[in-house]
Short mmCIF file of all heavy atoms in Angstrom, two decimals:
data_model
loop_
_atom_site.label_atom_id
_atom_site.label_comp_id
_atom_site.label_asym_id
_atom_site.label_seq_id
_atom_site.Cartn_x
_atom_site.Cartn_y
_atom_site.Cartn_z
N ILE A 1 0.84 -1.20 0.00
CA ILE A 1 0.00 0.00 0.00
C ILE A 1 0.87 1.25 0.00
O ILE A 1 0.62 2.21 -0.74
CB ILE A 1 -0.95 -0.01 1.22
CG1 ILE A 1 -2.02 -1.09 1.03
CG2 ILE A 1 -1.61 1.36 1.39
CD1 ILE A 1 -2.84 -1.34 2.27
N LEU A 2 1.93 1.25 0.83
CA LEU A 2 2.83 2.40 0.88
C LEU A 2 3.52 2.61 -0.47
O LEU A 2 3.65 3.75 -0.94
CB LEU A 2 3.88 2.20 1.98
CG LEU A 2 3.37 2.32 3.42
CD1 LEU A 2 4.48 1.97 4.41
CD2 LEU A 2 2.85 3.73 3.70
N LYS A 3 3.95 1.51 -1.10
CA LYS A 3 4.58 1.61 -2.41
C LYS A 3 3.60 2.16 -3.44
O LYS A 3 3.97 2.99 -4.28
CB LYS A 3 5.09 0.24 -2.87
CG LYS A 3 6.36 -0.22 -2.20
CD LYS A 3 6.77 -1.60 -2.65
CE LYS A 3 7.14 -1.67 -4.09
NZ LYS A 3 7.62 -3.01 -4.49
N SER A 4 2.37 1.70 -3.38
CA SER A 4 1.35 2.18 -4.33
C SER A 4 1.09 3.66 -4.14
O SER A 4 1.01 4.41 -5.12
CB SER A 4 0.06 1.39 -4.13
OG SER A 4 -0.95 1.85 -4.99
N MET A 5 0.99 4.10 -2.87
CA MET A 5 0.77 5.51 -2.60
C MET A 5 1.95 6.34 -3.09
O MET A 5 1.78 7.40 -3.71
CB MET A 5 0.56 5.73 -1.10
CG MET A 5 -0.74 5.17 -0.56
SD MET A 5 -0.88 5.35 1.22
CE MET A 5 -0.77 7.13 1.39
N ARG A 6 3.16 5.86 -2.85
CA ARG A 6 4.36 6.58 -3.27
C ARG A 6 4.41 6.68 -4.80
O ARG A 6 4.74 7.73 -5.34
CB ARG A 6 5.60 5.86 -2.73
CG ARG A 6 6.89 6.65 -2.89
CD ARG A 6 8.07 5.90 -2.30
NE ARG A 6 7.90 5.64 -0.88
CZ ARG A 6 7.80 4.43 -0.34
NH1 ARG A 6 7.86 3.36 -1.11
NH2 ARG A 6 7.65 4.28 0.95
N ASN A 7 4.07 5.56 -5.46
CA ASN A 7 4.08 5.57 -6.93
C ASN A 7 3.03 6.53 -7.48
O ASN A 7 3.27 7.23 -8.48
CB ASN A 7 3.84 4.16 -7.46
CG ASN A 7 5.02 3.24 -7.22
OD1 ASN A 7 6.15 3.70 -7.03
ND2 ASN A 7 4.77 1.94 -7.20
N ASN A 8 1.85 6.55 -6.84
CA ASN A 8 0.80 7.46 -7.29
C ASN A 8 1.22 8.92 -7.14
O ASN A 8 0.96 9.76 -8.00
CB ASN A 8 -0.49 7.21 -6.51
CG ASN A 8 -1.17 5.91 -6.92
OD1 ASN A 8 -0.94 5.41 -8.01
ND2 ASN A 8 -1.99 5.36 -6.05
N ILE A 9 1.87 9.21 -6.00
CA ILE A 9 2.35 10.57 -5.76
C ILE A 9 3.40 10.95 -6.80
O ILE A 9 3.38 12.06 -7.35
CB ILE A 9 2.91 10.71 -4.33
CG1 ILE A 9 1.76 10.61 -3.31
CG2 ILE A 9 3.65 12.02 -4.16
CD1 ILE A 9 2.23 10.51 -1.88
N ASN A 10 4.32 10.02 -7.06
CA ASN A 10 5.37 10.30 -8.06
C ASN A 10 4.77 10.53 -9.44
O ASN A 10 5.20 11.43 -10.17
CB ASN A 10 6.36 9.14 -8.11
CG ASN A 10 7.26 9.09 -6.89
OD1 ASN A 10 7.43 10.10 -6.20
ND2 ASN A 10 7.83 7.94 -6.61
N ARG A 11 3.77 9.71 -9.80
CA ARG A 11 3.12 9.90 -11.10
C ARG A 11 2.43 11.26 -11.17
O ARG A 11 2.50 11.94 -12.20
CB ARG A 11 2.11 8.77 -11.34
CG ARG A 11 2.73 7.48 -11.85
CD ARG A 11 1.67 6.54 -12.39
NE ARG A 11 0.79 6.07 -11.34
CZ ARG A 11 1.01 4.97 -10.62
NH1 ARG A 11 2.08 4.23 -10.86
NH2 ARG A 11 0.16 4.60 -9.70
N GLN A 12 1.77 11.66 -10.06
CA GLN A 12 1.08 12.94 -10.04
C GLN A 12 2.07 14.10 -10.16
O GLN A 12 1.83 15.06 -10.90
CB GLN A 12 0.26 13.08 -8.75
CG GLN A 12 -0.58 14.33 -8.66
CD GLN A 12 -1.68 14.37 -9.70
OE1 GLN A 12 -2.16 13.33 -10.13
NE2 GLN A 12 -2.08 15.57 -10.11
N VAL A 13 3.19 13.98 -9.42
CA VAL A 13 4.21 15.03 -9.48
C VAL A 13 4.79 15.13 -10.88
O VAL A 13 4.99 16.23 -11.42
CB VAL A 13 5.32 14.76 -8.44
CG1 VAL A 13 6.52 15.68 -8.67
CG2 VAL A 13 4.78 14.95 -7.02
N ASN A 14 5.08 13.97 -11.49
CA ASN A 14 5.63 13.97 -12.84
C ASN A 14 4.64 14.57 -13.84
O ASN A 14 5.04 15.31 -14.75
CB ASN A 14 5.98 12.54 -13.26
CG ASN A 14 7.16 11.98 -12.49
OD1 ASN A 14 7.96 12.75 -11.94
ND2 ASN A 14 7.27 10.67 -12.44
N PHE A 15 3.36 14.23 -13.65
CA PHE A 15 2.33 14.77 -14.54
C PHE A 15 2.24 16.28 -14.41
O PHE A 15 2.19 17.00 -15.42
CB PHE A 15 0.98 14.12 -14.19
CG PHE A 15 -0.18 14.66 -14.96
CD1 PHE A 15 -0.38 14.29 -16.28
CD2 PHE A 15 -1.08 15.53 -14.37
CE1 PHE A 15 -1.46 14.79 -17.00
CE2 PHE A 15 -2.15 16.04 -15.08
CZ PHE A 15 -2.35 15.67 -16.40
N GLU A 16 2.24 16.77 -13.16
CA GLU A 16 2.13 18.21 -12.94
C GLU A 16 3.38 18.94 -13.43
O GLU A 16 3.29 20.05 -13.97
CB GLU A 16 1.89 18.49 -11.46
CG GLU A 16 0.51 18.03 -10.97
CD GLU A 16 0.32 18.25 -9.49
OE1 GLU A 16 1.28 18.68 -8.82
OE2 GLU A 16 -0.80 17.99 -8.99
N THR A 17 4.54 18.31 -13.25
CA THR A 17 5.78 18.92 -13.72
C THR A 17 5.77 19.03 -15.24
O THR A 17 6.17 20.06 -15.81
CB THR A 17 6.99 18.08 -13.26
OG1 THR A 17 7.00 18.01 -11.83
CG2 THR A 17 8.29 18.69 -13.75
N ALA A 18 5.32 17.95 -15.90
CA ALA A 18 5.26 17.98 -17.37
C ALA A 18 4.30 19.05 -17.85
O ALA A 18 4.59 19.77 -18.83
CB ALA A 18 4.82 16.60 -17.88
N ASN A 19 3.16 19.19 -17.18
CA ASN A 19 2.20 20.22 -17.56
C ASN A 19 2.76 21.62 -17.35
O ASN A 19 2.53 22.53 -18.16
CB ASN A 19 0.91 20.07 -16.75
CG ASN A 19 0.01 19.00 -17.34
OD1 ASN A 19 0.20 18.56 -18.46
ND2 ASN A 19 -0.97 18.56 -16.57
N LEU A 20 3.51 21.77 -16.23
CA LEU A 20 4.11 23.08 -15.95
C LEU A 20 5.13 23.45 -17.01
O LEU A 20 5.16 24.59 -17.50
CB LEU A 20 4.76 23.05 -14.56
CG LEU A 20 5.44 24.34 -14.11
CD1 LEU A 20 4.44 25.49 -14.06
CD2 LEU A 20 6.11 24.15 -12.75
N VAL A 21 5.97 22.49 -17.39
CA VAL A 21 6.97 22.74 -18.43
C VAL A 21 6.29 23.10 -19.74
O VAL A 21 6.70 24.03 -20.45
CB VAL A 21 7.88 21.50 -18.60
CG1 VAL A 21 8.76 21.65 -19.84
CG2 VAL A 21 8.73 21.30 -17.36
N LYS A 22 5.22 22.37 -20.05
CA LYS A 22 4.48 22.63 -21.28
C LYS A 22 3.88 24.03 -21.26
O LYS A 22 3.92 24.77 -22.26
CB LYS A 22 3.37 21.57 -21.42
CG LYS A 22 2.61 21.63 -22.73
CD LYS A 22 1.60 20.50 -22.79
CE LYS A 22 0.79 20.56 -24.07
NZ LYS A 22 -0.22 19.47 -24.12
N THR A 23 3.32 24.42 -20.10
CA THR A 23 2.71 25.76 -19.96
C THR A 23 3.76 26.86 -20.11
O THR A 23 3.54 27.87 -20.79
CB THR A 23 2.02 25.88 -18.59
OG1 THR A 23 0.99 24.89 -18.51
CG2 THR A 23 1.42 27.26 -18.40
N VAL A 24 4.92 26.67 -19.47
CA VAL A 24 5.99 27.68 -19.53
C VAL A 24 6.50 27.82 -20.96
O VAL A 24 6.70 28.93 -21.46
CB VAL A 24 7.13 27.30 -18.57
CG1 VAL A 24 8.35 28.20 -18.81
CG2 VAL A 24 6.67 27.41 -17.12
N ASP A 25 6.72 26.68 -21.63
CA ASP A 25 7.22 26.72 -23.01
C ASP A 25 6.24 27.45 -23.92
O ASP A 25 6.64 28.28 -24.76
CB ASP A 25 7.44 25.30 -23.54
CG ASP A 25 8.65 24.63 -22.90
OD1 ASP A 25 9.46 25.34 -22.28
OD2 ASP A 25 8.77 23.39 -23.01
N ALA A 26 4.94 27.15 -23.74
CA ALA A 26 3.93 27.81 -24.58
C ALA A 26 3.88 29.30 -24.28
O ALA A 26 3.76 30.13 -25.20
CB ALA A 26 2.56 27.18 -24.32
N SER A 27 4.00 29.67 -22.99
CA SER A 27 3.96 31.07 -22.60
C SER A 27 5.12 31.84 -23.21
O SER A 27 4.95 32.95 -23.73
CB SER A 27 3.98 31.20 -21.07
OG SER A 27 4.02 32.54 -20.68
N VAL A 28 6.32 31.27 -23.16
CA VAL A 28 7.51 31.93 -23.73
C VAL A 28 7.31 32.14 -25.23
O VAL A 28 7.61 33.22 -25.77
CB VAL A 28 8.77 31.09 -23.45
CG1 VAL A 28 9.96 31.62 -24.26
CG2 VAL A 28 9.09 31.09 -21.96
N ARG A 29 6.81 31.12 -25.91
CA ARG A 29 6.59 31.22 -27.35
C ARG A 29 5.55 32.30 -27.68
O ARG A 29 5.72 33.08 -28.62
CB ARG A 29 6.13 29.86 -27.87
CG ARG A 29 6.04 29.78 -29.39
CD ARG A 29 5.58 28.41 -29.86
NE ARG A 29 4.20 28.13 -29.47
CZ ARG A 29 3.84 27.25 -28.53
NH1 ARG A 29 4.77 26.55 -27.88
NH2 ARG A 29 2.56 27.06 -28.25
N GLN A 30 4.47 32.34 -26.90
CA GLN A 30 3.40 33.33 -27.16
C GLN A 30 3.88 34.75 -26.89
O GLN A 30 3.58 35.68 -27.66
CB GLN A 30 2.19 32.99 -26.27
CG GLN A 30 1.50 31.69 -26.66
CD GLN A 30 0.71 31.09 -25.52
OE1 GLN A 30 0.59 31.69 -24.44
NE2 GLN A 30 0.17 29.89 -25.74
N ILE A 31 4.65 34.93 -25.81
CA ILE A 31 5.18 36.27 -25.49
C ILE A 31 6.11 36.77 -26.59
O ILE A 31 6.07 37.94 -26.99
CB ILE A 31 5.89 36.24 -24.12
CG1 ILE A 31 4.84 36.07 -23.00
CG2 ILE A 31 6.71 37.50 -23.90
CD1 ILE A 31 5.45 35.83 -21.63
N GLU A 32 6.97 35.89 -27.10
CA GLU A 32 7.87 36.27 -28.18
C GLU A 32 7.09 36.70 -29.42
O GLU A 32 7.45 37.67 -30.10
CB GLU A 32 8.81 35.11 -28.51
CG GLU A 32 9.86 34.84 -27.43
CD GLU A 32 10.74 33.65 -27.78
OE1 GLU A 32 10.42 32.96 -28.78
OE2 GLU A 32 11.73 33.42 -27.05
N SER A 33 6.00 35.98 -29.71
CA SER A 33 5.18 36.33 -30.88
C SER A 33 4.54 37.70 -30.70
O SER A 33 4.53 38.54 -31.63
CB SER A 33 4.09 35.26 -31.09
OG SER A 33 4.66 34.01 -31.41
N ILE A 34 4.00 37.94 -29.49
CA ILE A 34 3.35 39.22 -29.22
C ILE A 34 4.35 40.38 -29.32
O ILE A 34 4.07 41.43 -29.93
CB ILE A 34 2.66 39.20 -27.85
CG1 ILE A 34 1.51 38.19 -27.85
CG2 ILE A 34 2.17 40.59 -27.45
CD1 ILE A 34 0.98 37.86 -26.48
N LYS A 35 5.52 40.20 -28.73
CA LYS A 35 6.53 41.26 -28.77
C LYS A 35 6.98 41.53 -30.21
O LYS A 35 7.27 42.67 -30.58
CB LYS A 35 7.73 40.86 -27.91
CG LYS A 35 7.45 40.96 -26.41
CD LYS A 35 8.69 40.61 -25.60
CE LYS A 35 8.44 40.80 -24.11
NZ LYS A 35 9.63 40.46 -23.29
N GLN A 36 7.06 40.48 -30.99
CA GLN A 36 7.46 40.65 -32.39
C GLN A 36 6.44 41.49 -33.15
O GLN A 36 6.80 42.37 -33.95
CB GLN A 36 7.60 39.27 -33.04
CG GLN A 36 8.13 39.33 -34.47
CD GLN A 36 8.33 37.95 -35.05
OE1 GLN A 36 8.20 36.96 -34.35
NE2 GLN A 36 8.65 37.90 -36.33
N ILE A 37 5.16 41.23 -32.89
CA ILE A 37 4.11 42.01 -33.56
C ILE A 37 4.17 43.47 -33.12
O ILE A 37 4.12 44.39 -33.94
CB ILE A 37 2.72 41.43 -33.24
CG1 ILE A 37 2.60 39.98 -33.76
CG2 ILE A 37 1.61 42.29 -33.86
CD1 ILE A 37 1.36 39.25 -33.29
N VAL A 38 4.30 43.68 -31.78
CA VAL A 38 4.32 45.05 -31.24
C VAL A 38 5.53 45.81 -31.74
O VAL A 38 5.45 46.99 -32.12
CB VAL A 38 4.28 45.02 -29.70
CG1 VAL A 38 4.47 46.43 -29.13
CG2 VAL A 38 2.96 44.42 -29.21
N ASP A 39 6.70 45.15 -31.77
CA ASP A 39 7.92 45.82 -32.24
C ASP A 39 7.81 46.19 -33.72
O ASP A 39 8.37 47.19 -34.16
CB ASP A 39 9.14 44.89 -32.04
CG ASP A 39 9.48 44.73 -30.56
OD1 ASP A 39 8.99 45.54 -29.75
OD2 ASP A 39 10.21 43.76 -30.21
N SER A 40 7.10 45.35 -34.47
CA SER A 40 7.01 45.59 -35.91
C SER A 40 5.90 46.56 -36.27
O SER A 40 6.09 47.45 -37.10
CB SER A 40 6.79 44.25 -36.62
OG SER A 40 6.61 44.44 -37.99
N ARG A 41 4.73 46.44 -35.65
CA ARG A 41 3.56 47.21 -36.07
C ARG A 41 2.91 48.01 -34.95
O ARG A 41 1.93 48.72 -35.20
CB ARG A 41 2.52 46.28 -36.69
CG ARG A 41 3.01 45.54 -37.93
CD ARG A 41 1.92 44.68 -38.51
NE ARG A 41 2.37 43.97 -39.73
CZ ARG A 41 1.61 43.14 -40.42
NH1 ARG A 41 0.36 42.91 -40.03
NH2 ARG A 41 2.09 42.56 -41.50
N GLY A 42 3.44 47.86 -33.72
CA GLY A 42 2.81 48.54 -32.60
C GLY A 42 1.56 47.81 -32.15
O GLY A 42 1.12 46.82 -32.77
N TRP A 43 0.93 48.29 -31.10
CA TRP A 43 -0.28 47.63 -30.60
C TRP A 43 -1.43 47.72 -31.60
O TRP A 43 -2.32 46.88 -31.62
CB TRP A 43 -0.70 48.24 -29.26
CG TRP A 43 0.16 47.76 -28.11
CD1 TRP A 43 1.15 48.43 -27.50
CD2 TRP A 43 0.07 46.48 -27.49
NE1 TRP A 43 1.74 47.67 -26.51
CE2 TRP A 43 1.08 46.45 -26.47
CE3 TRP A 43 -0.73 45.35 -27.66
CZ2 TRP A 43 1.29 45.36 -25.65
CZ3 TRP A 43 -0.52 44.26 -26.83
CH2 TRP A 43 0.48 44.25 -25.85
#
């Protein structure tokens, strides 16, 4: 039972970490796109 709980926690942490990395990567890409538009054509 302890091993199962530990494995579930690890899976949840890994899942959340992967989602966080995915969110950060998407955010960086979107910010760069927005800045490129603003630098080129303004708001």
